[in-house]
Amino acid sequence: MEGYPAHYVSHNLPFVILFGLGSTAPKPRDAIEDEYPLLQEKGIYISSDLPNVSGPAAEELLSCFHDFDAKDAAWNNRPGKGKMGTMGFTYRSVGRAFTVPAHKARPPSSMPSPLAEDSVQRRPSLTPVLHSPLSPLSPDSPLFPDGIMSSFWFSKHQWLLPSAVISFFNFSTDPNSSTLQDNKIKTEINALRTSITASSYRFRLVVVLVCEDGDNDPNPIERVSNIRRATSLDSKSCFYLPSRLSTIEIQAFVGTVLASIQPSCIEYYRDLSKHARRKRNRASVPPPTAPPTHGTSQTLSAQGWTVRYETKLGFFAESRQEMDAAGRNYEAAYEALLDVDVFETVASWSPRFDETRMLADVLAIRILRCLLWTGQTTSAVQSWSNHRAAIQDFVDRKGKGTGTYGWEAWEARWSTVMAELIEKVDVPIFHVPEQPSTLIPASLEIPDIYAIPEKAFAADERLPPWDLLHHEGYWLNRSAQRTRARRKLAMTMPKEDRSSPGQSPASQIASKSHLYDTYLCEEPHKEYGLPGHASFDHSALLVHTLGKAAGHFSKRHQNRAVERIQFETAREYMRSGRWEEAMVLVKPLWQKLSWRREGWWKLVEEMSWAVRACARHLGDGETLAAVEWELLSNSLTPRSNWQYNISKCFDGLDMEEKPLVVVDFDSTAPSLSAKFTFGSLRGRVGEPVQVQLTITSQIHAKAVPITLAGLSITFEGGFKPIEIMHDTTQSSAETSAKGSIMLCDVPLSENPSSAEVPISVTAGSNISGSLLGFTDLTFSSVTNKVLLMTMTPRDAGEVRAAKVILKLREEFFDLDVVIPFREQISRCDWWFTSQEGLFRKKLDPYQAYAIEIFPKPPKMQVVLPTLRKTYYSDETVEIDVLFINEEEEDADVRIEVQLLGTAGKPPTIYWIAAQDLETKPEALDQTTTLQEDQYAGRILGRLAPLETRAEKVKFQALPEMAEYTLQIKAAYHLASDPQTAILKTEIKDLVFIRPFDGNSEFIPHIHPDPWPSYFDVNDDESEDSAGIRAGGLKQKWSLTANLASFALERLQVHAVALKVLEVKYGATCQLLSNTEDIEGGTYLGPNETIDRKFALEVQKADLEDRRASVVRCQLEVIWGLESISPRRTTTVIPISQLTVPFGEPRVLACAQQSNVMVPLIHMAYTIENPSVHVLTFLLTMEASEDFAFSGPKSGTIQLVPLSRHTVQYNILPTRRGEWIRPNLRVLDTGFGKTLRLAAADGCKRDKNGLAVWVGLE
């Protein structure tokens, strides 16, 4: 809001004076103090003799008060304006003296004589009526006699007249002088209160006692209370600040002080509102101090006084932050100001016209602030437009019209005011969120560019877009447009009007004052002065405004608007001759111009010519060549007086070295465009593939033809690059009937001889590893060429055409145009010739950029004659491999074998003995990666047609079941074409299963040897081979293994053996019986089973050791396939660990058929006590209907330590062919535990207990 007095338009806050805080240096007087009427002559001077409160603590306290200053806060009611819940204040530090304005103006020095006729009717008053120094009724007032409002009144309440004064005093901690200092403080406070009362102002006095640096007073409360009582201050008007407080504590103290004075400040401005309202409602206008004697004889009308008081009411309401009430008062003042009795009565030649016009602007600005404060965005825009229309009407009717540069200057300023208001108010909808560091389109949040209408407008009401509040960039851009119009009108002023006042006669000066509107702008001779004289810098203002507008548009991702504004800024730089700054803006903008993508060629043309002008002035050869290339495009409008010859663009430039310019096709308008087409969607290695490159000329008709030195085509995939050189002697073409399309057959060679390649072509070109061709590469405005080429692919895979580089070589520069091939095209054509001429056919758009090259089908056969469907774990696998060459010529073959598994590392596979080996058989690394031109493995050598070569692979299968993939590769090439690699891959799945599965049963037996006596000592104990002395208990066990065949064919089992792996916890284990090789082997068919039984003896090393022992063992089965009898395989079947108890008593049951009576069964129950205690057992034989028994029905047995006892029973079954259950209950009476019967010889145990089989015979 530059141009308006700062206090005239700034936001109003409660004004507080900080009295006696800070540096003791005298404060310089402000300009407002010098300009304010009668401030020095009649102002009320308030001062104090005590020194300022200074020092580090005072400076920090002053800084905290300034931190709470809200004059720079946003103009809205959102939290955060005033800290700690305060409404926000503005402060002024004045030291120990300040002056407040006088209430009344001074009386006139001499009263003017009344008119003759007036003296007859009445007698003048001898005592004049005095008014405020700023009242239109005071002769010394700048508003006398008919002015309405002055900016001094706003400055008075925002800089001179406070709502509260906070006075600071040093609070001494010296006990010797504290009483004297307290008395001085009381005297100064009372003197201040007296001065404030004498001034008739009602602002509040607040006292802050700041403790001096050092130790705090031990009892300050009594002293502070004494000061309060002596000065009639309450607890909310006198505060004590201890020393040695942290910054946070000082901030909290400042917040407390401000919170206490906030209600009184609001009440202060409310009292001023009541006073102004009473004066507004009076029936008559008070008489002036003296009648007007110059200018005009009329005083301010009643309607003008209404404007004055309504403005004051709005100001006081705004100071209380009551923005709704302030807006209503400002609107009432504005409407009254534009009434026919106020503004209409002011003559346009009077200085009051500009004053009134400025007051209208200020009231409109304050109304806009109130509307934006309350969220009425659309109403604010309409109010802005209404004020503009009203002022335009006044200026057209009563002013100098709106066709002057002064009106355009005001239009630009009025738009800038709206942008600054939006920024100051900080409209929430225009907040720009922080974007993530990595911009992802899905997470990008686009800010709003305009605000939706408020609820006061109906939802279905259609509002024009200019009635919606747009962001700041919109208004700044409008301001720039008006500034350009201002400059245009200023430049139309005649020379005589632009001369300075000292060089023109008075009559011309008087006439100019009636022609040009200079409200808030320069005089004509300063607006656009004569050559050699200073003028207003319109370009600087435009650059500043456009720069700010571009920033706001850029934040909201309005890229097209940003480009347009930056282009306008660059043109201003060019207009001012600042070519470097213009180039900094326009070059990156031209390279990434969105207008080019949208086809806005008129704008692109303006941009290109601007870039050329900058490059030409700065000698930027690279940019000049690139933009000259774009200017050749017929998409741009040609200039009639311009010669389009790119080879002459460097004329007049002094270039130190020849530049190489690289132009991206997307960053310029097309002068030459290219499309690539494959002749088919699919191809094979070694088979020719036809391709076409179509180059379309889009240069101006009057442009000089372009001759390319060559072009390069690159691919993504297995194709070699193509280099086409310009050579008119080797071109051949067929031209269609229209003559615009030329089909050129370009033969390609891989290794051209030096004689075939001209020196002029190879200079500066890299043709090694490329396919080379020659043709005529001259293009005019009507030349379109189709280059037909034939290529032979050498590698399989997808091939994509990547880009073509057009190479232009001139005397002073080299230019490369990079044209990428697009995947999305509208049409794909293939050109061909026939007897009737040149034609085209439409192809699949996919052919425009890609072709799938398949490997050449191999005729080499890989046969595995001995491959089986199923293999077994632990088996040694040998597979025969036959390689048969069915090609029509010799083939050099290299072979590789791999075994791939889904989990874990597969077994190592290798080649075994074969004929004509060139390398020693060795294991292959399973992690080797197969490459297209290198195969790990062995060289098989050269195979003649129909020759067969036999090889064999071997590996050892793992013990686990698994599935593997056997992959055998034969990479070869024919003797006639060594560059084309052919690959034959044979893949077979190998399934490995376990040949056997088994379970086992661990059964205890009664050891025939007697137990050692607990009371005897045996000196003959010896150690076994493991170094363990075997002197403990012995137990006999049997392990019965049941083996089942899971194989899918007959197996021959040669041997089954039990192997003890480990015995734990102080015991030894000896195999009493094991299975040796089975003579002739045992044959097992699928799902058949065999049983093998093994006897074990387990003995403790120490008689005192009662721990249970653990035996780990496994079964080893030696077997082979019936079909491959010589080869034997060993399979290990793990057995879960066997637990042998030694510390608990047990009962072993044995059954034996009687030799005398067939059905009679002899049962023996052996009770063992391996413990060191005497145990008593209670025996009870349970009766059953299935048998009769002879033996004790019940009884008691006592066993000494390390002893056993056998109880005999004869069982006579009542049934045959069934299982009977002779259950003997053995109860350990000492521990109350029933012992579990263990089945030994002739018995078994299941879930129901002990069982004995009774045969039929």
Side-chain angles (χ1 to χ4, degrees):
M1 281 163 277
E2 183 182 356
Y4 300 97
H7 292 154
Y8 221 172
V9 294
S10 61
H11 177 48
N12 310 131
L13 294 165
F15 174 50
V16 177
I17 283 182
L18 304 178
F19 188 73
L21 179 63
S23 174
T24 58
K27 304 285 184 180
R29 288 198 305 182
D30 295 295
I32 188 63
E33 294 181 297
D34 294 332
E35 298 173 1
Y36 191 86
L38 304 177
L39 180 64
Q40 304 303 325
E41 295 85 348
K42 292 199 62 178
I44 302 171
Y45 186 73
I46 300 176
S47 63
S48 175
D49 295 333
L50 292 181
N52 286 2
V53 178
S54 59
E59 294 297 332
E60 187 171 7
L61 179 61
L62 181 61
S63 175
C64 289
F65 270 102
H66 286 304
D67 290 342
F68 279 77
D69 196 337
K71 64 181 179 182
D72 295 328
W75 294 350
N76 54 53
N77 59 352
R78 293 191 294 275
K81 172 185 293 187
K83 298 183 179 180
M84 301 185 66
T86 60
M87 62 187 296
F89 297 85
T90 182
Y91 309 98
R92 179 186 172 199
S93 181
V94 296
R96 279 299 181 192
F98 67 98
T99 303
V100 297
H103 277 280
K104 301 296 182 181
R106 61 188 175 188
S109 58
S110 62
M111 294 292 294
S113 299
L115 299 176
E117 60 271 22
D118 207 22
S119 62
V120 176
Q121 298 177 4
R122 63 179 177 85
R123 186 171 180 173
S125 175
L126 298 178
T127 303
V129 180
L130 300 181
H131 302 280
S132 168
L134 297 179
S135 172
L137 302 175
S138 299
D140 291 334
S141 171
L143 301 177
F144 183 79
D146 54 355
I148 301 175
M149 211 69 191
S150 172
S151 63
F152 288 124
W153 186 90
F154 292 87
S155 300
K156 167 186 172 182
H157 288 279
Q158 295 186 70
W159 196 248
L160 299 177
L161 189 59
S163 61
V165 174
I166 304 178
S167 181
F168 298 86
F169 296 98
N170 283 313
F171 192 76
S172 176
T173 58
D174 186 2
N176 299 323
S177 61
S178 60
T179 303
L180 177 61
Q181 293 295 331
D182 291 352
N183 291 333
K184 290 182 179 180
I185 293 174
K186 296 174 189 176
T187 303
E188 290 298 326
I189 294 175
N190 288 327
L192 280 175
R193 291 174 60 86
T194 302
S195 300
I196 294 174
T197 304
S199 68
S200 300
Y201 290 113
R202 298 183 178 180
F203 52 81
R204 182 179 175 183
L205 175 64
V206 178
V207 174
V208 176
L209 303 175
V210 182
C211 185
E212 295 178 346
D213 294 338
D215 296 332
N216 290 319
D217 193 291
N219 189 18
I221 299 178
E222 183 178 351
R223 293 176 58 192
V224 172
S225 300
N226 188 18
I227 293 174
R228 286 175 181 169
R229 288 191 298 270
T231 56
S232 301
L233 295 175
D234 57 11
S235 59
K236 293 185 178 180
S237 299
C238 185
F239 297 90
Y240 169 71
L241 178 65
S243 62
R244 297 179 180 178
L245 295 182
S246 64
T247 302
I248 297 177
E249 291 173 325
I250 294 177
Q251 289 177 349
F253 174 79
V254 172
T256 303
V257 173
L258 296 179
S260 68
I261 68 173
Q262 178 173 313
S264 62
C265 292
I266 295 176
E267 191 61 32
Y268 169 79
Y269 290 109
R270 184 169 286 114
D271 291 340
L272 293 177
S273 295
K274 293 177 183 179
H275 178 69
R277 191 175 294 110
R278 286 194 300 267
K279 295 176 71 174
R280 181 197 62 180
N281 295 336
R282 61 191 173 188
S284 61
V285 176
T289 301
T293 59
H294 60 276
T296 178
S297 60
Q298 78 175 34
T299 58
L300 186 62
S301 64
Q303 195 73 4
W305 283 101
T306 301
V307 174
R308 181 176 176 85
Y309 290 126
E310 289 291 348
T311 303
K312 291 183 178 182
L313 289 172
F315 177 89
F316 296 140
E318 187 175 355
S319 299
R320 301 191 304 270
Q321 309 300 288
E322 298 174 2
M323 303 304 289
D324 288 336
R328 290 192 295 269
N329 291 124
Y330 289 141
E331 288 175 355
Y334 182 81
E335 293 173 0
L337 180 65
L338 299 185
D339 191 72
V340 294
D341 294 335
V342 183
F343 209 168
E344 291 285 355
T345 61
V346 181
S348 61
W349 50 264
S350 172
R352 298 293 184 209
F353 186 84
D354 285 349
E355 291 180 9
T356 308
R357 184 175 171 183
M358 179 174 287
L359 178 59
D361 288 350
V362 170
L363 289 175
I365 291 173
R366 290 180 174 271
I367 291 171
L368 290 176
R369 178 164 60 232
C370 294
L371 292 173
L372 293 176
W373 182 293
T374 55
Q376 302 178 63
T377 55
T378 301
S379 299
V381 177
Q382 291 178 346
S383 178
W384 182 92
S385 301
N386 293 338
H387 176 68
R388 174 184 173 275
I391 297 301
Q392 183 179 14
D393 178 64
F394 273 104
V395 172
D396 280 334
R397 289 189 297 105
K398 297 182 64 63
K400 301 175 179 63
T402 56
T404 63
Y405 71 87
W407 170 255
E408 296 297 341
W410 181 86
E411 281 267 33
R413 189 182 306 278
W414 189 233
S415 298
T416 304
V417 163
M418 191 62 167
E420 293 177 356
L421 280 173
I422 295 172
E423 184 175 2
K424 287 284 189 179
V425 173
D426 192 19
V427 180
I429 199 170
F430 294 144
H431 282 178
V432 179
E434 295 184 2
Q435 301 296 348
S437 57
T438 302
L439 292 180
I440 304 173
S443 62
L444 193 62
E445 184 177 354
I446 305 299
D448 293 311
I449 60 176
Y450 65 90
I452 60 176
E454 55 267 23
K455 294 181 180 180
F457 295 90
D460 56 350
E461 182 179 358
R462 295 182 63 86
L463 295 172
W466 49 83
D467 276 359
L468 303 178
L469 182 65
H470 293 258
H471 62 82
E472 302 96 309
Y474 166 83
W475 301 100
L476 292 171
N477 184 43
R478 186 183 185 280
S479 175
Q481 294 174 2
R482 292 300 181 177
T483 302
R484 281 193 292 269
R486 170 188 177 180
R487 179 176 59 188
K488 183 177 180 181
L489 290 173
M491 294 173 63
T492 61
M493 289 189 300
K495 184 176 181 181
E496 56 272 12
D497 292 347
R498 292 157 48 200
S499 60
S500 60
Q503 299 176 354
S504 302
S507 59
Q508 293 184 3
I509 297 174
S511 64
K512 284 192 294 185
S513 64
H514 292 282
L515 290 176
Y516 302 105
D517 183 5
T518 59
Y519 173 68
L520 296 182
C521 64
E522 301 292 343
E523 296 290 338
H525 68 280
K526 293 183 178 179
E527 179 71 19
Y528 187 62
L530 295 174
H533 294 75
S535 299
F536 182 77
D537 194 349
H538 300 89
S539 292
L541 178 59
L542 278 170
V543 167
H544 175 71
T545 306
L546 291 173
K548 293 176 63 177
H552 290 290
F553 280 108
S554 178
K555 290 177 183 178
R556 292 160 180 84
H557 307 285
Q558 295 177 268
N559 297 326
R560 294 175 182 170
V562 173
E563 291 176 352
R564 177 178 53 80
I565 292 173
Q566 288 181 343
F567 181 41
E568 293 174 358
T569 305
R571 289 204 291 193
E572 290 300 325
Y573 283 136
M574 295 167 61
R575 184 187 183 94
S576 304
R578 300 158 65 179
W579 297 102
E580 294 85 355
E581 299 176 34
M583 180 60 98
V584 170
L585 273 178
V586 79
K587 183 177 180 180
L589 184 62
W590 171 74
Q591 292 174 343
K592 300 180 181 180
L593 200 59
S594 65
W595 305 342
R596 191 179 292 112
R597 296 192 300 269
E598 302 297 337
W600 298 349
W601 300 117
K602 185 64 177 177
L603 297 175
V604 174
E605 179 183 346
E606 295 181 10
M607 176 69 74
S608 299
W609 284 109
V611 173
R612 187 191 182 282
C614 292
R616 189 74 185 179
H617 279 85
L618 298 176
D620 188 349
E622 294 186 8
T623 306
L624 181 60
V627 74
E628 284 281 358
W629 175 264
E630 181 173 51
L631 290 174
L632 292 174
S633 175
N634 58 14
S635 299
L636 310 182
T637 305
R639 293 187 175 182
S640 58
N641 58 348
W642 191 260
Q643 181 183 5
Y644 290 90
N645 187 355
I646 192 172
S647 63
K648 303 294 184 181
C649 67
F650 275 42
D651 291 353
L653 293 182
D654 186 12
M655 304 298 296
E656 296 181 357
E657 58 183 23
K658 186 178 181 180
L660 173 60
V661 184
V662 179
V663 177
D664 188 3
F665 180 77
D666 295 331
S667 63
T668 58
S671 298
L672 292 179
S673 60
K675 290 194 303 183
F676 193 87
T677 307
F678 290 97
S680 60
L681 287 172
R682 299 172 183 84
R684 292 188 180 277
V685 174
E687 298 179 2
V689 174
Q690 285 190 329
V691 298
Q692 284 185 355
L693 176 66
T694 303
I695 303 178
T696 305
S697 174
Q698 295 172 275
I699 64 177
H700 291 301
K702 64 181 206 174
V704 177
I706 298 174
T707 300
L708 300 178
L711 58 88
S712 300
I713 307 172
T714 57
F715 302 90
E716 295 177 1
F719 279 15
K720 293 183 177 180
I722 299 176
E723 293 283 344
I724 306 297
M725 301 298 177
H726 173 67
D727 190 357
T728 58
T729 62
Q730 301 189 30
S731 65
S732 74
E734 297 184 18
T735 307
S736 66
K738 295 181 180 180
S740 60
I741 301 295
M742 299 177 63
L743 179 61
C744 306
D745 188 2
V746 182
L748 302 178
S749 58
E750 295 190 12
N751 298 308
S753 62
S754 59
E756 297 176 351
V757 183
I759 298 177
S760 60
V761 174
T762 57
S765 300
N766 183 16
I767 62 173
S768 61
S770 302
L771 302 178
L772 185 64
F774 301 89
T775 190
D776 185 8
L777 297 178
T778 301
F779 296 90
S780 65
S781 59
V782 294
T783 303
N784 298 318
K785 292 189 177 183
V786 180
L787 307 183
L788 176 62
M789 297 162 283
T790 302
M791 307 178 65
T792 302
R794 298 302 181 186
D795 299 313
E798 185 183 55
V799 179
R800 293 174 177 264
K803 62 184 177 182
V804 61
I805 301 177
L806 308 181
K807 302 178 180 180
L808 182 65
R809 300 293 180 259
E810 297 293 344
E811 181 181 0
F812 299 104
F813 68 92
D814 294 339
L815 179 69
D816 287 352
V817 182
V818 181
I819 305 177
F821 296 123
R822 305 297 182 194
E823 297 186 5
Q824 301 296 333
I825 61 173
S826 58
R827 182 182 176 90
C828 178
D829 295 324
W830 182 266
W831 295 88
F832 63 95
T833 58
S834 65
Q835 296 180 353
E836 299 178 358
L838 185 63
F839 296 92
R840 64 179 178 178
K841 62 180 179 179
K842 188 176 181 180
L843 299 181
D844 189 332
Y846 183 81
Q847 293 181 229
Y849 65 93
I851 185 174
E852 186 71 25
I853 302 298
F854 293 95
K856 186 174 182 179
K859 295 182 180 179
M860 181 73 64
Q861 299 298 325
V862 179
V863 181
L864 283 69
T866 60
L867 185 70
R868 304 201 313 262
K869 292 183 179 180
T870 306
Y871 290 87
Y872 305 100
S873 57
D874 297 312
E875 181 183 2
T876 301
V877 180
E878 296 181 1
I879 301 176
D880 295 331
V881 184
L882 301 179
F883 298 93
I884 306 172
N885 182 17
E886 296 185 359
E887 298 282 355
E888 297 179 355
E889 52 184 307
D890 292 353
D892 293 326
V893 186
R894 182 182 181 87
I895 59 176
E896 176 191 5
V897 61
Q898 284 183 315
L899 195 62
L900 307 177
T902 58
K905 185 178 180 180
T908 301
I909 187 170
Y910 52 90
W911 301 97
I912 60 176
Q915 296 180 355
D916 300 330
L917 294 182
E918 298 187 20
T919 59
K920 182 180 179 180
E922 56 184 1
L924 300 180
D925 186 3
Q926 303 304 315
T927 62
T928 301
T929 301
L930 180 62
Q931 303 177 0
E932 295 181 356
D933 56 350
Q934 182 179 359
Y935 302 94
R938 80 166 53 237
I939 298 175
L940 192 61
R942 175 164 292 190
L943 272 67
L946 300 180
E947 181 182 353
T948 300
R949 187 75 55 86
E951 296 288 336
K952 182 178 290 187
V953 294
K954 180 179 180 181
F955 63 93
Q956 179 69 39
L958 299 179
E960 299 83 11
M961 294 188 297
E963 293 184 5
Y964 301 109
T965 298
L966 178 65
Q967 181 175 278
I968 300 176
K969 297 178 182 179
Y972 66 97
H973 61 81
L974 302 180
S976 62
D977 189 7
Q979 294 186 353
T980 301
I982 306 174
L983 180 64
K984 171 64 177 181
T985 303
E986 188 72 18
I987 298 177
K988 297 294 182 180
D989 292 332
L990 305 182
V991 180
F992 288 83
I993 63 175
R994 294 184 62 83
F996 301 100
D997 197 7
N999 52 29
S1000 60
E1001 186 177 7
F1002 196 47
I1003 302 173
H1005 295 275
I1006 299 175
H1007 199 284
D1009 294 346
W1011 279 21
S1013 174
Y1014 186 72
F1015 304 100
D1016 294 340
V1017 176
N1018 187 4
D1019 294 332
D1020 297 334
E1021 293 178 352
S1022 60
E1023 295 183 357
D1024 63 355
S1025 60
I1028 300 177
R1029 182 180 298 276
L1033 295 177
K1034 295 181 180 179
Q1035 290 188 11
K1036 182 179 179 183
W1037 294 77
S1038 67
L1039 178 68
T1040 302
N1042 179 267
L1043 300 179
S1045 173
F1046 282 4
L1048 303 180
E1049 51 192 311
R1050 283 174 59 86
L1051 302 180
Q1052 184 178 11
V1053 180
H1054 299 283
V1056 179
L1058 180 67
K1059 183 177 181 181
V1060 177
L1061 303 177
E1062 183 184 10
V1063 182
K1064 296 182 179 180
Y1065 309 121
T1068 60
C1069 180
Q1070 181 181 0
L1071 291 176
L1072 302 179
S1073 63
N1074 202 346
T1075 301
E1076 302 296 335
D1077 290 348
I1078 303 173
E1079 184 178 355
T1082 300
Y1083 291 94
L1084 284 180
N1087 298 325
E1088 292 183 357
T1089 61
I1090 59 173
D1091 292 335
R1092 291 292 183 268
K1093 188 173 182 180
F1094 307 93
L1096 297 87
E1097 180 185 84
V1098 182
Q1099 183 177 9
K1100 275 290 185 178
D1102 188 0
L1103 192 61
E1104 301 294 334
D1105 192 355
R1106 297 293 185 271
R1107 295 176 298 171
S1109 297
V1110 175
V1111 180
R1112 287 182 56 249
C1113 55
Q1114 64 183 21
L1115 285 176
E1116 294 182 354
V1117 182
I1118 302 175
W1119 60 278
L1121 294 174
E1122 184 180 11
S1123 59
I1124 313 176
S1125 55
R1127 188 185 305 167
R1128 293 190 178 189
T1129 302
T1130 301
T1131 298
V1132 175
I1133 301 176
I1135 297 176
S1136 58
Q1137 63 182 10
L1138 308 176
T1139 302
V1140 181
F1142 280 96
E1144 299 292 335
R1146 65 174 182 169
V1147 180
L1148 300 179
C1150 297
Q1152 184 179 5
Q1153 293 286 339
S1154 173
N1155 295 327
V1156 179
M1157 292 184 63
V1158 174
L1160 188 65
I1161 299 174
H1162 302 293
M1163 292 293 300
Y1165 297 91
T1166 302
I1167 304 172
E1168 297 179 348
N1169 178 17
S1171 67
V1172 294
H1173 306 285
V1174 176
L1175 300 180
T1176 302
F1177 299 96
L1178 178 62
L1179 308 181
T1180 304
M1181 173 60 78
E1182 294 182 355
S1184 175
E1185 296 180 355
D1186 296 335
F1187 61 87
F1189 67 89
S1190 66
K1193 170 65 177 175
S1194 62
T1196 301
I1197 297 177
Q1198 285 187 339
L1199 295 181
V1200 298
L1202 296 179
S1203 63
R1204 57 185 178 180
H1205 179 75
T1206 302
V1207 181
Q1208 299 287 342
Y1209 285 90
N1210 293 323
I1211 304 298
L1212 182 63
T1214 59
R1215 300 177 182 178
R1216 293 190 178 186
E1218 294 183 0
W1219 291 92
I1220 61 174
R1221 299 185 181 279
N1223 188 18
L1224 177 67
R1225 294 185 63 229
V1226 179
L1227 177 64
D1228 185 349
T1229 58
F1231 294 94
K1233 179 180 178 181
T1234 301
L1235 302 185
R1236 181 176 180 271
L1237 296 180
D1241 298 337
C1243 302
K1244 80 168 187 177
R1245 184 173 182 84
D1246 54 19
K1247 62 181 181 179
N1248 294 323
L1250 185 71
V1252 178
W1253 175 255
V1254 179
L1256 295 176
E1257 297 180 357

